[in-house]
Amino acid sequence: MKKGFLFGSILYLWTSCFATAQNWPNWRGGNGDGTSLETNLPVQWDANTNIIWKTKVPGFGHSSPIVWEDKLFLFTADTETQERILLCYNSNSGDLIWQTSLLKAKLEDKHSDNSYASGTPATDGKMVYVSFFDGENVIVAAYDFSGTEIWRQTPGTFSSPHGYSCSPVLFEDKVIINGNSLGDSFMAAMNKTSGKIIWKVPHEKPAHSFSTPIIREIDGVTQMIFCGNQEIASYDPNTGIKIWFVDGPSEDFCSSPVYNKKHDLLLVSSAWPQRHLLAIKPDGKGDVSETHVVWRTTKGAYYVPSPVCTDDYLYTTMTNGRVHCLNVTNGDIVWIEDMGKQYSSAVLANGLVYMPNDEGVVTVIKPGPEFTVLAKNEIGEKMNASPAISNGKIYIRGYEHLFCIGKND
């Protein structure tokens, strides 16, 4: 794997038949940025074409699917029984292999657009790690591939009127969780095998952050890019020691950062009370607020959905569906299109941008300076989860069903 393209210690699964067949082991895939090397993917589908299987999902949630070989994992919540549930499916057939109840507790207050199961699990091929909320405490737990709980840890409390939505990040022997909120407000790393807390960083400026960090090796330094504590910061994921930070640009964060290797830029958007999109050179030390921000703009800044990035263009969208294509080097807007209200995040695979909206329509866009649509595909129901891509298939969670989309031979 090339230097600078590392996300934790998660390795791609390379098969003997397809050099680009990959797992999708966590939120936004193995790189944490919505990109995939898969090429044998369908561009068009409908209710009858290129749907390999479709299966009913119990409960409800916005958690996105993750895939490891022939296993697909999904987090859901049963609002009648007040249970949070981990599901395991056969990724080839859609058959439910097992489900296990993680928690039965009173449903917390939340934003009307959130769910009680919004965080996406993560897997290293041996265990599945999931984070959820009991109304007071952040809970991180590990399960083996048969659904047996191995450990459970409560690294801190959480408080937010918007509800809970945090996805674990895996790095080497660690499970890292963002606990930024109006409660303890922290970030913590636990041992993957035992759940023991390795390090915990308290944050002195409590605010809301639902952003999932990304990890990259940049110029020989392993950096975890974290958005929270009312700043954008780089940490050493081994120790929790802060390397550099940019103050603000506003209080809250929702979307995940992306790193553009060609131009050596981190691209990050804040969420509230104002949205600012920043491009940052990630080679500083200490406070780099005045020295390493290459450009900043409010135009094209995004809120909940995370973006995707090609060599020269950044594709962002607001929840109102206004999709922007921006020049990575200077933040200039190349084009703007309206694609419908959107909370799910786009993916980049097959050399194409797959841009979903809340109505279950996935628009396939050819990257470039011109807005070129190759297809508009419907799953027939609403969706807020983001697509997962693995072994030539696109997996999409709708409000009621889980879909496996692939080329019908």
Side-chain angles (χ1 to χ4, degrees):
M1 190 177 295
K2 290 183 178 180
K3 198 175 185 181
F5 213 59
L6 178 66
F7 177 71
S9 60
I10 300 169
L11 300 178
Y12 296 127
L13 174 70
W14 300 90
T15 68
S16 58
C17 297
F18 299 99
T20 55
Q22 292 179 283
N23 291 312
W24 192 269
N26 45 256
W27 165 243
R28 307 214 75 205
N31 288 313
D33 60 4
T35 62
S36 171
L37 297 178
E38 298 266 357
T39 57
N40 190 35
L41 296 171
V43 173
Q44 293 183 309
W45 63 85
D46 55 36
N48 301 308
T49 305
N50 288 335
I51 303 295
I52 304 299
W53 54 257
K54 170 185 173 182
T55 188
K56 182 82 172 178
V57 175
F60 182 77
H62 299 333
S63 166
S64 300
I66 62 169
V67 183
W68 190 278
E69 298 182 2
D70 62 350
K71 300 291 191 302
L72 182 149
F73 300 97
L74 198 64
F75 183 36
T76 194
D78 188 322
T79 55
E80 292 185 4
T81 65
Q82 299 186 327
E83 288 180 281
R84 285 66 155 182
I85 301 165
L86 182 63
L87 306 166
C88 177
Y89 291 89
N90 183 301
S91 63
N92 297 315
S93 66
D95 293 336
L96 180 63
I97 301 173
W98 52 258
Q99 66 179 60
T100 185
S101 179
L102 312 182
L103 173 75
K104 186 173 183 180
K106 181 181 177 181
L107 301 174
E108 69 270 14
D109 293 335
K110 66 174 184 62
H111 191 284
S112 59
D113 290 329
N114 198 1
S115 77
Y116 298 109
S118 293
T120 296
T123 182
D124 57 4
K126 298 177 181 178
M127 290 198 287
V128 184
Y129 306 89
V130 61
S131 180
F132 45 99
F133 184 53
D134 68 2
E136 180 180 0
N137 297 294
V138 172
I139 302 175
V140 182
Y143 295 82
D144 66 19
F145 272 28
S146 67
T148 300
E149 185 175 298
I150 305 303
W151 57 259
R152 178 176 294 215
Q153 179 64 266
T154 53
T157 64
F158 185 91
S159 177
S160 171
H162 305 310
Y164 188 73
S165 176
C166 292
S167 304
V169 172
L170 304 183
F171 175 73
E172 295 182 353
D173 61 340
K174 303 169 190 68
V175 183
I176 300 171
I177 194 72
N178 169 14
N180 231 232
S181 77
L182 302 179
D184 281 347
S185 200
F186 66 94
M187 183 169 53
M190 288 139 281
N191 182 276
K192 287 199 306 183
T193 303
S194 66
K196 181 180 178 181
I197 294 178
I198 298 172
W199 55 256
K200 180 178 177 180
V201 177
H203 287 141
E204 69 279 5
K205 295 178 287 184
H208 296 103
S209 174
F210 303 97
S211 175
T212 304
I214 61 170
I215 300 177
R216 293 291 186 273
E217 187 174 336
I218 303 171
D219 295 328
V221 179
T222 302
Q223 302 188 44
M224 179 174 64
I225 310 304
F226 172 79
C227 303
N229 194 37
Q230 301 185 38
E231 64 186 13
I232 301 162
S234 168
Y235 287 82
D236 181 342
N238 289 298
T239 63
I241 295 174
K242 189 184 297 186
I243 301 171
W244 57 258
F245 70 94
V246 172
D247 191 41
S250 50
E251 291 184 25
D252 295 350
F253 296 89
C254 289
S255 61
S256 297
V258 294
Y259 173 63
N260 184 286
K261 185 171 186 264
K262 178 180 178 180
H263 300 288
D264 191 27
L265 289 173
L266 285 164
L267 301 156
V268 184
S269 182
S270 61
W272 186 90
Q274 289 183 314
R275 290 177 293 277
H276 292 263
L277 174 58
L278 279 65
I280 304 167
K281 275 287 185 184
D283 59 354
K285 300 288 183 183
D287 187 348
V288 299
S289 305
E290 302 299 326
T291 59
H292 284 64
V293 177
V294 177
W295 55 260
R296 177 190 305 234
T297 182
T298 58
K299 297 177 180 180
Y302 40 98
Y303 189 12
V304 176
S306 298
V308 289
C309 193
T310 62
D311 282 348
D312 298 308
Y313 301 104
L314 178 71
Y315 298 87
T316 76
T317 182
M318 265 294 294
T319 50
N320 63 11
R322 296 280 285 175
V323 176
H324 292 70
C325 173
L326 295 93
N327 186 308
V328 168
T329 61
N330 55 25
D332 288 349
I333 295 175
V334 180
W335 52 256
I336 304 174
E337 294 291 336
D338 190 347
M339 296 189 194
K341 185 179 177 182
Q342 180 181 342
Y343 271 86
S344 53
S345 298
V347 294
L348 177 67
N350 207 29
L352 304 171
V353 176
Y354 290 74
M355 183 72 71
N357 71 18
D358 292 358
E359 296 301 315
V361 178
V362 180
T363 302
V364 184
I365 304 167
K366 182 180 179 180
E370 303 293 331
F371 177 61
T372 305
V373 172
L374 301 183
K376 284 184 177 289
N377 307 299
E378 299 185 23
I379 61 170
E381 62 186 73
K382 291 186 176 183
M383 61 179 286
N384 287 116
S386 301
I389 296 172
S390 182
N391 295 317
K393 309 291 192 303
I394 303 170
Y395 297 91
I396 295 177
R397 181 198 191 149
Y399 272 23
E400 298 183 14
H401 297 89
L402 181 63
F403 299 81
C404 175
I405 300 163
K407 291 182 178 179
N408 287 322
D409 295 328

